[in-house]
Amino acid sequence: METRAPFVVVGAFVLAAIAAGFGFVYWLHNTGGLGPRVTYHVQFDGSVPGLLVGAAVLFNGIRVGEVSDLGLAPDDPRRVNATISVSSATPVRADTKVGLEFQGLTGVPVIALEGGTAKANSGPVPTLIAEQGAGQSMTQAARDALRRVDSVLADNSGPLKDTIANFKVFSEGLSRNTAKLDGIVAGLERMTGATPPPPKITYDLRAVQNPGAPGKTINVQWAIPEPTAVAMLETQRFLFQPAQDYPGFSEAMWADALPKLIQARLIESFENYDLAHAPLRMADIGQTDFQLLIDVRRFRIAVDSTPAAEIGLSARIVDKSGKVVASRLFEETEKFDKVEPPAAVAAFDEAFGRLAKNMIAWTAQAL
């Protein structure tokens, strides 16, 4: 017994120290500090869901104390009386607002104090009255709002049905009189001078239909990629030199952007020359033996003296290693009488036809 006595004493001391440590931490957590405390009474006119003794008390978002007591008001079962213990340095005033906040994902309730006048108290602070609905959570507020909306809809179900029926009659009337409404709108446009924009007229470039019998067969795999051009030529509009507007051309446009249109009509012209050995687009196949690279230099209407369609294309044939096999500049001009879209398109067709024939013969000879 004499040997075991010191161990018993040491064990009891260790357990007491641990219990004292836990008790001190619990006390420090629930009192919020070691300084002097002041007690206030708070009255809630309604439920306080989840509020417990020991819950935090915040003043302007800062923890200043805790709830020390909770109970129902004996004179009114709808009310809840709470006692809070806060630091004596907390500036609680008679007009300090009291509410219930729910913090975190779990919605832990805390008592929130806010504001008050800056003047010092002339006496003890009376019971603090919480704001109406302070204990109402967001979920409950949403339920109450939906309940009020449902009540309003139920009370006005008859007028709502009549309104919907009137909308139905109105929409049916609009449907029956669509043609008349279109006539009214057209009449208003004529009266006010407002006319819809004229429709766009699309023009195509004609490929060479009869380039002649093949003088030399192109027995290689080759392609014509999309031609390169400056940004001004990446358009479907008719271009003029010098640049200006002409009647009729604001509604006229090419069938595609000029580089893509030239590529399509050159490939079609080569197909009309020799379909079996016609060029491919680069999107059709991967690597080819040769490529015919086109750079669009001019595709415009010159109006210095007599209007004329001008086309200028720079052509280079390169092999798969990137070596230039042959190169040439193709230029054609075709005059026309009136500066109007049909005449200009006919002139472009003639100029492009001669240019494409020359390019076909040159390419066949080079390859």
Side-chain angles (χ1 to χ4, degrees):
M1 294 297 293
E2 295 178 356
T3 306
R4 295 175 58 188
F7 294 103
V8 175
V9 174
V10 171
F13 176 77
V14 170
L15 291 176
I18 293 174
F22 276 111
F24 176 77
V25 171
Y26 177 79
W27 173 80
L28 186 64
H29 173 74
N30 285 291
T31 59
L34 299 174
R37 319 290 290 173
V38 179
T39 299
Y40 298 98
H41 297 285
V42 180
Q43 179 179 293
F44 292 93
D45 291 331
S47 63
V48 286
L51 186 64
L52 302 173
V53 174
V57 177
L58 308 181
F59 191 93
N60 290 344
I62 301 174
R63 177 166 179 159
V64 294
E66 73 288 332
V67 178
S68 58
D69 186 42
L70 276 175
L72 297 173
D75 56 338
D76 190 346
R78 294 174 299 177
R79 295 179 179 176
V80 175
N81 293 332
T83 303
I84 59 174
S85 177
V86 300
S87 172
S88 60
T90 306
V92 179
R93 303 290 187 264
D95 59 348
T96 296
K97 295 181 180 180
V98 182
L100 200 64
E101 293 183 357
F102 298 87
Q103 297 184 332
L105 295 175
T106 57
V108 177
V110 297
I111 292 180
L113 308 178
E114 182 180 353
T117 58
K119 297 180 180 179
N121 292 330
S122 58
V125 176
T127 299
L128 300 173
I129 306 299
E131 297 178 343
Q132 187 70 27
Q136 191 178 45
S137 64
M138 294 298 293
T139 303
Q140 186 61 39
R143 290 197 186 99
D144 292 344
L146 291 175
R147 191 178 296 111
R148 287 193 293 271
V149 171
D150 183 66
S151 177
V152 171
L153 292 176
D155 295 340
N156 297 275
S157 59
L160 285 175
K161 289 180 180 179
D162 294 340
T163 302
I164 295 173
N166 292 335
F167 273 118
K168 182 179 179 181
V169 173
F170 180 72
S171 62
E172 290 176 351
L174 287 178
S175 178
R176 290 192 303 268
N177 295 278
T178 301
K180 295 181 180 179
L181 290 174
D182 292 340
I184 293 173
V185 173
L188 291 175
E189 289 179 349
R190 289 192 298 270
M191 290 176 59
T192 59
T195 57
K200 295 291 184 180
I201 303 175
T202 303
Y203 294 92
D204 202 355
L205 186 66
R206 188 176 67 235
V208 178
Q209 301 301 317
N210 298 305
K216 181 183 179 182
T217 303
I218 303 175
N219 292 318
V220 295
Q221 190 178 62
W222 65 297
I224 300 180
E226 182 179 332
T228 57
V230 296
M232 181 180 65
L233 293 168
E234 295 277 355
T235 181
Q236 292 180 256
R237 297 175 56 249
F238 283 77
L239 302 177
F240 289 86
Q241 178 61 36
Q244 54 183 312
D245 294 330
Y246 286 89
F249 284 92
S250 58
E251 296 83 31
M253 59 186 298
W254 290 108
D256 204 342
L258 290 176
K260 293 183 179 181
L261 183 63
I262 293 171
Q263 178 196 27
R265 297 301 167 256
L266 282 176
I267 292 177
E268 183 180 347
S269 300
F270 275 100
E271 289 174 345
N272 293 335
Y273 173 75
D274 186 1
L275 181 60
H277 303 91
L280 304 171
R281 289 178 173 85
M282 289 304 296
D284 297 334
I285 195 171
Q287 185 67 29
T288 58
D289 297 330
F290 295 92
Q291 295 183 44
L292 176 56
L293 304 181
I294 305 295
D295 181 68
V296 183
R297 295 193 174 187
R298 285 184 302 281
F299 204 95
R300 67 194 182 190
I301 300 172
V303 289
D304 291 331
S305 55
T306 303
E310 295 182 348
I311 303 177
L313 303 180
S314 172
R316 291 177 299 161
I317 299 176
V318 298
D319 59 16
K320 62 176 59 179
S321 65
K323 180 182 177 181
V324 178
V325 176
S327 61
R328 181 176 168 179
L329 179 62
F330 295 88
E331 294 180 313
E332 290 292 339
T333 301
E334 180 68 22
K335 296 181 180 180
F336 56 97
D337 297 330
K338 295 182 179 180
V339 183
E340 56 185 15
V345 171
F348 275 111
D349 287 339
E350 292 295 329
F352 181 79
R354 295 194 300 269
L355 185 148
K357 285 184 179 180
N358 294 334
M359 186 176 294
I360 291 172
W362 171 76
T363 304
Q365 186 64 34
L367 295 179

